[in-house]
């Protein structure tokens, strides 16, 4: 964005309309990318795609259609860096997310918990990811008993990590006050 802005003026000192348009597009892209809604939109897309792939039988047909349309609209808004559309669609996506069946919300919560555990303690996170994978495979195969067993093993482990903060890295610069 900065590079494009620096190239707006030509050698003669006049503003070049084509370069101005490029700089405005780059600025719009930067504004969208730096917004929380942009990242939330991408997260919703990933969660909804996962839910439709793994939990399809638990989501009724009308909700599946709404989710598919929402995914398409979110992807379009993200790809075009349309921040106002992203904000509106994120609101709609959060409402739809809150309306998911309880079992789907639980599975998505487990997925998020495994991801968090992996950030805090990678070795425990890998074990939990394997159990989560087994649960997902059991769901795909229609083996509800095995999925329930994996879920009951995962939940206490996930709860342990949900309350913990993710460690932040500090960078040693060697500068002193």
């Amino acid at each position: 964005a900065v590079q494009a802005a620096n190239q707006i003026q030509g050698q003669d000192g006049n503003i070049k309309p084509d370069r101005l348009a490029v700089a405005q597009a780059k600025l719009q892209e930067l504004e969208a990318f730096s917004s929380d809604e942009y990242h939330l939109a991408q997260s919703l897309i990933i969660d909804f795609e996962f839910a439709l792939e793994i939990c399809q039988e638990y989501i009724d047909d009308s909700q599946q259609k709404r989710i598919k349309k929402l995914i398409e609209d979110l992807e379009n808004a993200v790809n075009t860096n349309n921040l106002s559309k992203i904000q509106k669609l994120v609101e709609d996506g959060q409402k739809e997310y809150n309306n998911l069946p309880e079992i789907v919300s639980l599975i998505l919560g487990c997925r998020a918990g495994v991801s968090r555990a992996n950030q805090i303690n990678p070795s425990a996170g890998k074990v939990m990811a394997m159990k989560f994978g087994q649960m997902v495979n059991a769901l795909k195969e229609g083996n509800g008993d095995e999925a329930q067993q994996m879920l009951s093993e995962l939940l206490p482990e996930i709860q342990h990590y949900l309350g913990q903060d993710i460690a932040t890295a500090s960078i040693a610069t060697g500068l002193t006050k």
Side-chain angles (χ1 to χ4, degrees):
V2 172
Q3 187 178 22
N6 287 335
Q7 296 175 354
I8 291 174
Q9 282 187 330
Q11 297 289 353
D12 58 2
N14 293 328
I15 294 177
K16 302 289 184 182
D18 58 330
R19 292 182 186 171
L20 178 62
V22 169
Q24 288 172 333
K26 291 290 183 186
L27 178 61
Q28 184 180 11
E29 182 180 336
L30 178 62
E31 287 173 342
F33 184 74
S34 64
S35 76
D36 291 336
E37 287 84 5
Y38 181 88
H39 299 288
L40 190 52
Q42 290 183 317
S43 178
L44 285 170
I45 291 168
I46 291 167
D47 284 349
F48 285 147
E49 286 176 340
F50 180 83
L52 288 176
E53 179 185 343
I54 304 302
C55 309
Q56 188 172 11
E57 70 234 30
Y58 302 114
I59 304 170
D60 65 59
D61 291 339
S62 63
Q63 190 173 27
Q64 284 184 37
K65 288 177 186 175
R66 289 192 311 269
I67 291 172
K68 286 177 184 176
K69 174 78 169 112
L70 193 55
I71 290 170
E72 184 180 312
D73 291 346
L74 279 166
E75 286 175 336
N76 184 21
V78 165
N79 290 336
T80 60
N81 301 310
N82 187 337
L83 193 53
S84 61
K85 192 171 184 183
I86 289 172
Q87 291 169 337
K88 166 71 171 97
L89 290 169
V90 163
E91 278 183 37
D92 296 345
Q94 288 174 321
K95 289 175 187 172
E96 198 65 56
Y97 191 94
N98 292 335
N99 288 331
L100 287 170
E102 188 175 339
I103 184 70
V104 177
S105 295
L106 186 60
I107 292 167
L108 289 173
C110 283
R111 186 169 166 252
V114 168
S115 175
R116 184 171 186 86
N118 199 34
Q119 291 174 322
I120 296 170
N121 183 350
S123 59
K126 287 179 184 177
V127 172
M128 292 169 62
M130 288 175 33
K131 288 181 184 178
F132 184 73
Q134 291 172 342
M135 182 183 80
V136 167
N137 287 337
L139 285 170
K140 284 181 178 178
E141 295 169 2
N143 188 345
D145 292 338
E146 184 181 343
Q148 182 64 38
Q149 178 186 350
M150 290 291 109
L151 180 63
S152 64
E153 289 177 22
L154 266 176
L155 285 178
E157 295 174 33
I158 288 172
Q159 288 174 340
H160 173 73
Y161 289 99
L162 288 178
Q164 293 185 24
D165 291 330
I166 296 174
T168 57
S170 60
I171 300 172
T173 62
L175 300 175
T176 59
K177 290 184 179 179

